[in-house]
Amino acid sequence: MTVHHPQSPQFFLTSPSPCPYLPGRAERKVFTHLTGERAPALLDLLSQGGFRRSQNIAYRPACERCRACISVRILVDEFRANKSFRRVLKRNEDLVSFEARAEPTSEQYALFRSYIDERHLTGGMSEMSVLDYAMMVEDSQVDTRIVEYRRRVPGALGGPEARQGELLAVALSDVMADGMSMVYSFFEPGASERSLGTFMILDHIERTLRKGLPFLYLGYWVEGSDKMDYKIRFRPQEHLLPKGWERYEG
């Protein structure tokens, strides 16, 4: 007879639905709930197995005949910015960032709506209301941070005055035992010349390094999906394969 510990997580499987990354394929996910005092430790454990967090759910792909989604994490201690990355950092020298406990604001939502309406109007987030956004940010049982990237206010040395600069990008990230995990990020769609998506990853590599943690988790790289190819530019990195985490050589 199998005995289940009363605090052991229960896992569930979703029904098949169209894959958002590879046309003509169906996706399924296995998921569990992250609740209570054990949520941070459970997320740490599940992240080692390729799970991601969305609000109080931890999930990972469980497709029947497809293994295209591969978990990616950057080895931050070994990362060195190449010439292209240094140009991105240079273009954004006029930005300042603020990391705090995850709390939603109307200013963030306005930027989120601009980003979604411009970049992902037909995606699953296109109908998110301000309340939906608030839940995405604050419905977490783990150590979740929000990082705002603002245009520097001339003459402002810090404090509330420094936070009055134009909001250009936002990242929602978890701090775990072995690294940071970028849950979701968005940015001003009219500032494409800044490469803000790349800039936020570079900034998070530095944040993870300053916290003394070894990994920055980027979620899934989907081979064959052009919109996911940016993730393999940040090397060295490891991919979660059948034998465990292995260094990606390209």
Side-chain angles (χ1 to χ4, degrees):
M1 180 178 67
T2 301
V3 177
H4 296 283
H5 191 280
Q7 291 188 323
S8 296
Q10 290 184 298
F11 291 88
F12 307 91
L13 188 64
T14 65
S15 300
S17 60
C19 176
Y21 303 110
L22 299 176
R25 301 195 192 185
E27 70 165 359
R28 300 188 77 178
K29 295 175 182 176
V30 60
F31 69 94
T32 190
H33 297 278
L34 297 168
T35 58
E37 296 179 354
R38 297 178 66 250
L42 181 58
L43 180 63
D44 288 343
L45 178 64
L46 293 177
S47 295
Q48 290 290 325
F51 279 74
R52 295 283 288 165
R53 184 185 71 82
S54 177
Q55 295 177 233
N56 287 322
I57 296 291
Y59 69 92
R60 65 163 297 170
C63 306
E64 294 178 1
R65 287 184 287 273
C66 179
R67 297 293 181 269
C69 293
I70 298 174
S71 294
V72 173
R73 66 186 187 187
I74 302 171
L75 303 169
V76 301
D77 289 330
E78 299 181 47
F79 178 83
R80 300 293 180 272
N82 59 27
K83 185 179 294 186
S84 174
F85 290 148
R86 290 196 296 271
R87 285 197 295 267
V88 172
L89 292 171
K90 183 71 174 177
R91 286 197 294 269
N92 292 284
E93 283 183 335
D94 61 331
L95 300 187
V96 290
S97 60
F98 304 92
E99 178 181 329
R101 291 284 183 179
E103 293 184 0
T105 68
S106 58
E107 187 183 22
Q108 292 167 13
Y109 180 70
L111 181 61
F112 170 79
R113 275 270 44 113
S114 295
Y115 173 78
I116 292 295
D117 292 346
E118 179 71 24
R119 297 291 187 97
H120 302 287
L121 190 56
T122 60
M125 291 181 157
S126 61
E127 302 298 324
M128 284 181 65
S129 68
V130 64
L131 293 178
D132 295 328
Y133 173 78
M135 289 184 63
M136 180 179 77
V137 172
E138 64 187 3
D139 193 9
S140 171
Q141 299 283 317
V142 301
D143 186 1
T144 301
R145 314 288 177 86
I146 200 153
V147 186
E148 294 184 344
Y149 299 86
R150 295 179 177 273
R151 200 185 300 273
R152 182 179 285 107
V153 176
L157 300 178
E161 191 174 274
R163 294 176 179 265
Q164 299 306 307
E166 180 188 4
L167 182 65
L168 291 181
V170 175
L172 185 68
S173 304
D174 293 337
V175 180
M176 304 184 300
D178 67 347
M180 293 189 75
S181 174
M182 297 188 72
V183 177
Y184 191 73
S185 61
F186 53 94
F187 50 84
E188 169 55 53
S192 58
E193 75 285 350
R194 287 180 174 270
S195 301
L196 288 166
T198 296
F199 175 69
M200 284 190 281
I201 294 175
L202 293 171
D203 177 72
H204 272 69
I205 290 172
E206 181 61 30
R207 287 177 186 279
T208 305
L209 195 60
R210 289 200 302 266
K211 295 179 192 300
L213 301 171
F215 305 116
L216 175 62
Y217 290 82
L218 291 186
Y220 303 114
W221 168 54
V222 184
E223 190 169 9
S225 174
D226 292 342
K227 58 185 175 182
M228 287 293 187
D229 278 348
Y230 72 91
K231 294 186 179 183
I232 57 172
R233 295 172 54 216
F234 299 87
R235 305 185 192 180
Q237 62 180 235
E238 293 181 335
H239 290 183
L240 184 57
L241 302 176
K243 293 183 179 180
W245 289 97
E246 298 183 13
R247 196 180 185 97
Y248 175 69
E249 302 295 345

